[in-house]
Structures are given as structure tokens and as C-alpha cells.
Amino acid sequence: METKAIPYGRQDITSQDIEAVTLALQADYLTQGPRINKFEEEFAQYVGSKYAVAVSNGTAALHLNALALGVKKGDKVITTPLTFAASANCVRYCGGEVVFADIDPNTYLLDINSVRSLLENAPKGTYRGIIPVDFAGRAVDLEAFRKLADEYELWIIEDSCHSPGGFFVDSNGVKQHCGNGNFADLAIFSFHPVKHIACGEGGMITTNDESLYQKLLALRTHGIVKDDDLYTNSVEFASAKASTDQYPAWYMEMQMLGYNYRITDFQAALGSSQLLRADAGLERRREIAQNYYNAFLDKKYINGQSGVVEGHAYHLYVVEVNDRLGLYNFLREHSIYAQIHYIPCHLMPYYRELGWKEGDLPLAESYYTRCISLPMFPTLTDKEQQFVIDKIDSFYNE
Ligand SMILES: *Cc1c(COP(=O)(O)O)cnc(C)c1O
């Protein structure tokens, strides 16, 4: 039992997945093939959005979003310090300024009141957008954020990397799935192996906005447009012929400065195959969360836990404990590799250099002193989970 390492998260690759990738590798296109479109359509349907754009990773998805929304030098964007750095970095890629607001210590999500107070204390027009994160898999109440964003004419990028399949219940009692585009302008997902759906590397942008969608398609591939109706150069120039009324088949235009952020066809094949098991994986994650919750309910050494929340997608199961370092090292000695999510982003040396310092976001910083993410992935067995629970118990009771 103690010999097999238990990580905090891991992918699950089945023989069905391998077969799907093998078929893609034997097909005509390794990149930009038909499996990308298929994966996009299936994913859009899964989250309930109109459009989906598959890209090379979640960070590329964030970068393209910032570009599509026109983030430029000096633009101020609000996000949470409790996230993977990419949520903030995408603003910096475009020369914008990241303003971190504090978290709600009960949900661990970006605190809307903290955001509101930033907005109220600055002249209107100071901020351009908000990037809330469905941290650990818990869906942000985007209905509330949309209302606030509309008041200040802000856009919203929902970082849903932790929450495919997650949802919140809106004021009408309707389930609103993460990334469905009903409230946020754009949402992003990651298919890094530790996330719910693995593509190796991979990402997805979802939206209900057609013009953003068209822009993202071009930005993903160098800013190239291939559509007779959208060309700006003359048909005579394109065909290098004085009298013609048709653009030649080879013609295309680079209309904006884009990137190569494409995903490959065989990664998309893996994504589609994984998506078939997404709901089963989600169900298992919720079961594991319930088990942790029950096990820790009356334990004095647990100061807080992710709990059992409707619509939570449980990318992570976070508990708050005393002597976190001691517990972390003790678990490692027993081959249990818990993780810390996150070192507050504003205190990374890069952001300190931009002026952020300890004490700026007291709730996120205090949370960081106690948080630890326990093993949480669909193939974690009951026996392994019990081993984790027992080891935690023995650490505090010996
Ligand atoms: C994983 C992750 C990203 C980045 O995704 P990559 O695919 O690794 O580039 C961004 N935001 C959050 C919250 C993440 O967890």
C-alpha cells in the first residue's frame, strides 16, 4: 500500500483513448484536421455555449482572450490572487496592469465586495475587465459579477480551468454551467493532464459572442482570414490580374497580428474521447469530496474544508490545517503528494517587483498559511483515500 505514490491529481488514459489517438495518427491530418472541429462542437455542447475554439493550452486561451478584448498598455484588469499565474499574466502579455482583489475566505473565490470596493474607489473607466476563477472547481456566481460589470462597463473572462461540468444556481433557480457564455464574455479551459480532461497540452475558449469567436479563430492561427467576404485587399491584387471578379483559391489575408496557438488533431481526438467520461469523472470526484467531508467533519485539526457544494466540480479538495508544513512533509514520507494551491500570485517575485507586497491581500495570504490540497482524481480508490485520511489522522493524533 505505501509503495504506490498517491499524487494530488492525475490523468486517466483508457484503451479507448489510445485507440482514438491511434486512429487520428493514421489519418490524413496531424494538425487542423476534422477532429478539432468535432471536439469544439462536443465541448460547446457539454458546457452549453454557442461557440468553442480549441487552442494549444489554457495559457494561450487566456492570451487570445486578452487580445480579442483589446487589452492594451495601461488597461487595468481585476483578478484573484488565488490562482495559477496565467490568469493574471495574460493581462501582462498585452501590457495591461493586474489589480488583485481579495478572496472570500468561505468560498476561496474572488470576493465580489472586494472588487466592488476597488471599482467604487476609482473614477469610472479606470478598469477594463474582471477575470474571476472557478477556484478548485467551485463556480463563481457570475450573475452577480455580470451585474457589477455592467454597471462599470467591464468585460468578464471566466477562468474555468478547474470547473468543466460545474455550475452555480442563478436567482431564477436555473443551473448555469461554467463557461456557458450566459454571463461572461469569454471562458477558458485547460486540458493539462492534472485537469478534468487531458489532451497532453490543450485549451478551449467558449463564448456566445460571434464577433469575438471570429476574431479568436483568426488570432489562433497568425491572424489569418480565409473568407472571400472578409478580404480587404482588392480581387485584382489578389489574382494579379486586371479583370477578374473572383479571389483565387490560394488567397488568404493576415489581417491582425496573431499567433500559432493551434491544437493538433490527435490531441483533439484524445479530448473527445476523454469528454465521453467527463460526467462519470465528475460524479466520482463528488463522491471523493463527500468522503473527505464526512471523515473530517468532527476533526479539530481541520480548520476549514471545501465542503460539499452543489455544482462544485472538485478539481481540488482543499482543507485548512495547523502545522501545514509538518503535515505536508509527513504525507510525503508516506508517498502521498499533496499540493498547495496557491502561493498568492501577487507575492510571486515578478508581481512584487511591480509593487505588490505582503499585507496587501490579508485573506488570501492568511489562507495560504493553512491550505493543502488532498489527492482528488477519479481513479483514486476508496482504499487509497482511506489511507490518506488515516495518515492525516495519525499525524495529528500521535
Ligand atoms: C491550469 C490553469 C491554467 C493554465 O492552463 P495551461 O493549459 O496549463 O496553460 C490557467 N488558469 C488556471 C486556474 C489553471 O488551473
Side-chain angles (χ1 to χ4, degrees):
M1 185 77 217
E2 294 209 24
T3 52
K4 194 178 160 216
I6 306 178
Y8 83 91
R10 70 161 287 147
Q11 74 279 12
D12 173 33
I13 303 292
T14 63
S15 55
Q16 197 185 2
D17 292 337
I18 293 167
E19 198 178 314
V21 174
T22 304
L23 281 173
L25 286 170
Q26 290 164 338
D28 290 337
Y29 303 96
L30 287 189
T31 188
Q32 289 181 289
R35 288 169 183 81
I36 296 174
N37 256 325
K38 179 171 172 283
F39 184 36
E40 288 172 338
E41 277 167 25
E42 291 163 352
F43 196 84
Q45 187 169 11
Y46 182 67
V47 302
S49 70
K50 269 197 192 144
Y51 308 105
V53 179
V55 293
S56 48
N57 56 63
T59 305
L62 283 161
H63 186 193
L64 291 188
N65 283 3
L67 286 168
L69 291 165
V71 174
K72 56 188 188 315
K73 195 165 189 283
D75 283 354
K76 283 191 163 74
V77 175
I78 300 169
T79 192
T80 170
L82 211 60
T83 188
F84 184 62
S87 319
N89 294 349
C90 66
V91 175
R92 301 293 302 148
Y93 296 155
C94 299
E97 194 180 317
V98 181
V99 180
F100 296 98
D102 216 341
I103 61 161
D104 175 336
N106 296 310
T107 63
Y108 309 147
L109 302 176
L110 179 63
D111 177 20
I112 194 165
N113 295 317
S114 176
V115 175
R116 185 178 286 116
S117 116
L118 280 174
L119 295 171
E120 281 172 355
N121 289 302
K124 221 169 172 172
T126 300
Y127 294 95
R128 286 286 314 278
I130 313 174
I131 307 179
V133 177
D134 299 317
F135 173 77
R138 184 169 181 150
V140 169
D141 180 351
L142 283 180
E143 186 183 26
F145 270 99
R146 183 76 261 171
K147 208 161 154 247
L148 181 65
D150 284 347
E151 242 177 89
Y152 288 87
E153 293 172 34
L154 309 176
W155 48 251
I156 298 174
I157 298 172
E158 178 186 15
D159 183 334
S160 304
C161 284
H162 296 184
S163 62
F167 63 84
F168 74 95
V169 177
D170 74 10
S171 58
N172 295 315
V174 177
K175 286 181 185 175
Q176 297 286 350
H177 281 85
C178 299
N180 72 5
N182 287 345
F183 300 100
D185 298 271
L186 296 161
I188 69 113
F189 296 85
S190 163
F191 306 127
H192 179 282
V194 92
K195 310 288 162 75
H196 290 213
I197 294 162
C199 287
E201 296 280 356
M204 191 74 84
I205 304 164
T206 58
T207 184
N208 289 346
D209 183 316
E210 204 204 330
S211 75
L212 285 174
Y213 170 65
Q214 293 295 350
K215 216 165 168 183
L216 290 164
L217 287 180
L219 286 169
R220 167 177 69 177
T221 179
H222 310 284
I224 288 172
V225 168
K226 200 159 171 46
D227 182 343
D228 285 10
D229 296 332
L230 299 176
Y231 293 147
T232 63
N233 280 335
S234 71
V235 67
E236 291 82 8
F237 164 78
S239 51
K241 199 163 178 278
S243 57
T244 179
D245 54 7
Q246 234 185 348
Y247 284 94
W250 74 70
Y251 194 67
M252 55 83 173
E253 285 184 353
M254 193 203 88
Q255 294 190 340
M256 59 197 103
L257 190 62
Y259 294 80
N260 178 355
Y261 281 165
R262 297 187 300 259
I263 195 168
T264 65
D265 212 47
F266 51 95
Q267 287 170 307
L270 181 54
S272 282
S273 182
Q274 292 254 309
L275 193 55
L276 295 172
R277 296 198 306 285
D279 281 333
L282 206 53
E283 202 174 310
R284 177 63 187 145
R285 285 173 185 275
R286 287 174 177 154
E287 227 170 69
I288 293 167
Q290 183 74 57
N291 290 344
Y292 278 134
Y293 181 75
N294 295 344
F296 297 137
L297 197 51
D298 57 357
K299 301 295 187 201
K300 296 249 174 351
Y301 51 80
I302 300 288
N303 300 326
Q305 59 174 335
S306 295
V308 176
V309 179
E310 193 190 8
H312 199 309
Y314 291 105
H315 165 56
L316 305 173
Y317 195 86
V318 176
V319 291
E320 294 176 62
V321 294
N322 299 323
D323 190 11
R324 188 260 314 270
L325 178 61
L327 175 64
Y328 174 84
N329 287 334
F330 178 81
L331 292 176
R332 279 179 79 90
E333 282 165 26
H334 294 279
S335 300
I336 298 166
Y337 296 93
Q339 189 52 282
I340 307 305
H341 298 93
Y342 285 99
I343 303 161
C345 191
H346 68 292
L347 298 178
M348 288 291 169
Y350 173 78
Y351 283 101
R352 284 188 198 246
E353 209 157 291
L354 293 171
W356 292 91
K357 57 187 189 312
E358 276 163 73
D360 282 345
L361 300 162
L363 297 172
E365 291 168 31
S366 159
Y367 160 89
Y368 169 62
T369 65
R370 294 183 303 276
C371 67
I372 185 163
S373 306
L374 303 179
M376 165 59 85
F377 51 94
T379 53
L380 181 74
T381 65
D382 286 344
K383 223 170 133 188
E384 286 171 326
Q385 185 179 15
Q386 195 55 51
F387 178 69
V388 173
I389 291 165
D390 291 345
K391 284 294 162 208
I392 295 171
D393 210 46
S394 75
F395 175 74
Y396 287 105
N397 289 315
E398 262 165 24

